[in-house]
Amino acid sequence: MINTIWMVLLVGGIIIGVFTGNTQAVTDALMSNAETGVELAMGLIGMMALWLGIMKIAEEAGLVKLIGNALKPVMKFLFPDVPKDHPAMGSMVMNIAANILGLGNAATPLGIKAMKELQELNEEKDTASNAMCMFLAINTSSVTLVASSVIAYRLAAGSNNPAEIIGPTLVATTASTIAAVIAVKTFEKISKKKESKVVANNTLAVSKED
């Protein structure tokens, strides 16, 4: 879908440029932005290598595991249906810890593994469980303490203080995560109330038949 949208925008811009007599402007824009893209990508290499190296050292030093242990009480509240010692709990803890440290490359496989393990616990295989919804919502809210990618983008774009994004990032990620957790917990309660009503109605119907 995204590729189709990009193709429509690109072809549409070229066609409009030709029919409006702005062919040269379209060509200049294509060339200049292609050059900007290469400069941005090359500028990102150094910053990304630095942050990824720092985060990899933190991971090897056990910082990810330390954060994971600190998160366990919170995880019990967020995922009450997942047994404490189930492998899914460990994978989710490691995924969130990696995201907090900005280790996107390490977080992705852990997230996929956690989802597979949560699916094993899911009684309705064609419907996402509450734990799966909560885990997806937390990942989507982007729990991040060190936004290394954004810092790299700002540095490549010529920012004088690329790290100043850390403060707003903390505020934004805290607000989005709280909103995600509240939303999922609210829908969980609504779903449980509906299930209770259905069970009560079925029980009443059976008793009337008897």
Side-chain angles (χ1 to χ4, degrees):
M1 177 59 75
I2 295 296
N3 289 333
T4 303
I5 293 173
W6 277 112
M7 181 58 69
V8 170
L9 291 174
L10 182 62
V11 174
I14 293 174
I15 292 174
I16 292 173
V18 170
F19 280 97
T20 57
N22 294 315
T23 307
Q24 187 58 45
V26 173
T27 303
D28 293 342
L30 288 173
M31 297 300 294
S32 63
N33 283 289
E35 184 179 349
T36 301
V38 173
E39 290 176 353
L40 180 63
M42 295 301 291
L44 285 173
I45 293 175
M47 193 63 187
M48 288 298 292
L50 171 64
W51 278 104
L52 289 175
I54 292 174
M55 295 307 169
K56 187 63 179 177
I57 292 172
E59 182 185 12
E60 295 293 334
L63 185 58
V64 174
K65 188 175 181 180
L66 186 66
I67 293 176
N69 290 333
L71 287 174
K72 282 184 178 178
V74 180
M75 298 295 284
K76 289 180 184 177
F77 166 74
L78 295 175
F79 305 97
D81 299 333
V82 180
K84 182 178 63 177
D85 298 327
H86 193 275
M89 187 65 84
S91 298
M92 288 191 294
V93 167
M94 296 299 289
N95 168 266
I96 294 174
N99 274 324
I100 287 175
L101 295 174
L103 292 167
N105 292 335
T108 301
L110 289 169
I112 295 172
K113 183 181 178 185
M115 272 297 185
K116 288 181 178 177
E117 291 166 345
L118 288 174
Q119 180 66 0
E120 294 176 1
L121 293 172
N122 189 9
E123 295 179 355
E124 299 179 22
K125 298 301 181 185
D126 58 345
T127 304
S129 64
N130 290 336
M132 295 170 79
C133 292
M134 177 63 79
F135 182 61
L136 182 61
I138 291 175
N139 265 265
T140 306
S141 70
S142 185
V143 182
T144 306
L145 291 182
V146 183
S148 54
S149 299
V150 178
I151 293 173
Y153 294 145
R154 287 171 57 82
L155 181 66
S159 173
N160 292 326
N161 188 8
E164 67 180 358
I165 194 67
I166 290 178
T169 299
L170 287 175
V171 175
T173 193
T174 301
S176 62
T177 303
I178 291 174
V181 171
I182 291 174
V184 175
K185 287 292 183 184
T186 301
F187 280 112
E188 280 183 16
K189 289 184 179 179
I190 294 173
S191 177
K192 286 180 180 177
K193 284 183 179 178
K194 286 183 178 179
E195 289 178 359
S196 299
K197 285 183 179 179
V198 170
V199 171
N201 291 335
N202 290 338
T203 305
L204 182 61
V206 171
S207 62
K208 285 182 178 178
E209 290 177 358
D210 294 338

